């Protein structure tokens, strides 16, 4: 697995990690055991960047449990998501409990009360409980606001959607992130699974075999990661096998412009 400098934060991250929205919101022992096998596969393959949020039900708690003695080898990104100071404090206290008193990348989810939340996260950074402060929004309609938040010198990372269906970040957000030296986390690499429901026949992937591509999810991940301004993509999965397939896309050779255009066409777009 290739790793990249996470902007100018001093962190190095594997290029493929894992999201936990829906997939890690499980509430029984059998569910937790099954998710532990997904986390095991992440450690086996080096996909050890994990993203969560208090917005994802039980996902933070379950992720913390599946790390199970391996917290020191993981990079944990989570989020705070409340306009209410007391609730935000509760979310942060819970997350620090789940993740052994350290969150590597603490993000303001959907920019909710971002100034106040960044002040709060900065205080945690001062005492060594947070390494990098991030901002994130899923909606292109909020990218103006996101761009402003990225300029705050205390912000070191940004999480954005980027895939062949969602390319709004190309015009402003990705160039600004590179200029500012921010770490870039790519959410929704499969468009919440929608891109995977488009059938792409195996012969259509053959021209990508020299790039180590044997499946459509891998082609989509390599499309993202071949833009070197993207540091880590975080596909969510409930399957250890899918995780292994995804992780295998995390090494060179990277696509050039022709291969990226080809994958975009397979996804149903012209460049
Ligand atoms: N900051 C924000 O506002 C925000 C918003 C949305 C998401 N996120 C983050 O980004 C992460 C990823 O986005 P997402 O969860 O929305 O969607 P996604 O990663 O684009 O797609 C997830 C879906 O893809 C499937 N999948 C994964 N690998 C596969 C493979 N190799 N083969 C076949 N199917 C595969 C999963 O099903 P299986 O379980 O069957 O594998 C799941 O249904 C989230 O989990 C979350 O951490 C952040």
């Amino acid at each position: 697995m290739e790793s990249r400098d996470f902007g100018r934060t001093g962190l190095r991250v594997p290029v493929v990690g894992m999201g936990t929205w829906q997939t890690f919101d499980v509430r029984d022992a059998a569910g937790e055991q099954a998710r532990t096998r997904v986390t095991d596969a992440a450690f086996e393959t080096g996909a050890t960047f994990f993203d969560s949020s208090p917005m994802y039900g039980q996902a933070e708690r379950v992720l913390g449990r599946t790390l199970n003695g391996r917290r020191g080898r993981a990079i944990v990104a989570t989020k705070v998501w409340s306009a209410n100071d007391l609730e935000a404090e509760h979310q942060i206290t819970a997350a620090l409990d789940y993740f052994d008193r350290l969150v590597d990348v603490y993000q303001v989810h959907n920019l909710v009360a971002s100034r106040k939340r960044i002040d709060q996260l900065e205080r945690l950074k001062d005492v060594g409980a947070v390494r990098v402060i991030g901002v994130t929004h899923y909606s292109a309609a909020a990218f103006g606001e996101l761009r402003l938040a990225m300029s705050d010198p205390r912000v070191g990372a940004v999480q954005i959607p980027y895939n062949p269906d969602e390319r709004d970040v190309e015009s402003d957000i990705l160039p600004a992130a590179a200029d500012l030296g921010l770490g870039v986390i790519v959410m929704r690499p499969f468009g919440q699974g929608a891109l995977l429901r488009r059938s792409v026949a195996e012969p259509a992937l053959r021209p990508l075999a020299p790039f180590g591509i044997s499946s459509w999810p891998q082609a989509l991940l390599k499309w993202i990661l071949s833009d070197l301004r993207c540091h880590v993509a975080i596909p969510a999965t409930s399957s250890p096998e899918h995780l292994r397939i995804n992780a295998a896309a995390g090494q060179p050779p990277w696509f050039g412009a022709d291969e990226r255009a080809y994958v975009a066409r397979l996804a149903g777009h012209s460049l």
Side-chain angles (χ1 to χ4, degrees):
M1 168 82 62
E2 178 166 297
S3 60
R4 290 185 183 159
D5 286 333
F6 192 54
R8 289 197 282 267
T9 63
L11 283 188
R12 250 185 111 72
V13 294
V15 290
V16 179
M18 186 184 83
T20 58
W21 180 54
Q22 294 184 321
T23 50
F24 270 53
D25 183 17
V26 295
R27 287 151 202 269
D28 58 0
E32 275 186 30
Q33 268 171 16
R35 295 313 174 267
T36 299
R37 288 192 285 280
V38 178
T39 301
D40 290 348
F43 280 98
E44 280 160 30
T45 57
T48 50
F49 185 106
F50 302 93
D51 178 74
S52 197
S53 170
M55 200 202 242
Y56 305 162
Q58 296 297 304
E60 281 184 306
R61 184 185 63 77
V62 172
L63 173 62
R65 281 177 66 90
T66 67
L67 291 176
N68 189 20
R70 299 175 285 195
R71 172 67 188 89
R73 291 196 283 131
I75 297 176
V76 171
T78 194
K79 311 184 191 87
V80 57
W81 171 65
S82 180
N84 179 292
D85 294 347
L86 201 57
E87 170 56 21
E89 201 62 52
H90 284 150
Q91 291 178 359
I92 290 169
T93 302
L96 290 174
D97 277 351
Y98 301 142
F99 301 123
D100 292 356
R101 321 302 323 152
L102 174 70
V103 170
D104 299 280
V105 186
Y106 222 133
Q107 305 153 95
V108 181
H109 206 155
N110 293 351
L111 301 172
V112 177
S114 63
R115 286 234 180 100
K116 279 202 291 184
R117 296 294 82 87
I118 291 171
D119 290 345
Q120 200 171 8
L121 294 175
E122 183 70 5
R123 289 193 289 276
L124 290 167
K125 205 175 162 203
D126 288 344
V127 297
V130 169
R131 294 170 79 183
V132 177
I133 297 171
V135 288
T136 176
H137 209 291
Y138 70 94
S139 167
F143 284 174
E145 201 191 336
L146 184 66
R147 174 68 187 82
L148 279 177
M150 288 162 62
S151 303
D152 185 317
R154 297 170 298 176
V155 168
V158 63
Q159 181 178 150
I160 45 170
Y162 188 38
N163 61 57
D165 283 355
E166 298 180 278
R167 303 185 63 163
D168 307 84
V169 292
E170 287 176 347
S171 55
D172 195 19
I173 298 289
L174 278 176
D179 283 350
L180 292 162
L182 303 189
V184 174
I185 304 166
V186 176
M187 68 166 95
R188 284 205 314 236
F190 305 140
Q192 300 182 351
L195 277 155
L196 300 179
R197 290 190 283 278
R198 258 163 248 170
S199 78
V200 175
E202 192 272 329
L205 294 175
R206 272 185 214 145
L208 303 175
F211 295 85
I213 298 301
S214 57
S215 70
W216 180 225
Q218 292 173 335
L220 290 165
L221 287 171
K222 198 156 258 198
W223 182 92
I224 295 164
L225 295 168
S226 296
D227 184 325
L228 300 182
R229 297 172 299 185
C230 300
H231 302 130
V232 53
I234 50 166
T237 182
S238 51
S239 152
E241 190 45 34
H242 287 173
L243 191 136
R244 287 189 190 93
I245 289 167
N246 296 342
Q251 40 208 353
W254 302 110
F255 292 156
D258 289 350
E259 292 80 24
R260 287 189 99 228
Y262 181 68
V263 171
R265 279 199 300 278
L266 290 180
H269 301 278
S270 53
L271 262 195

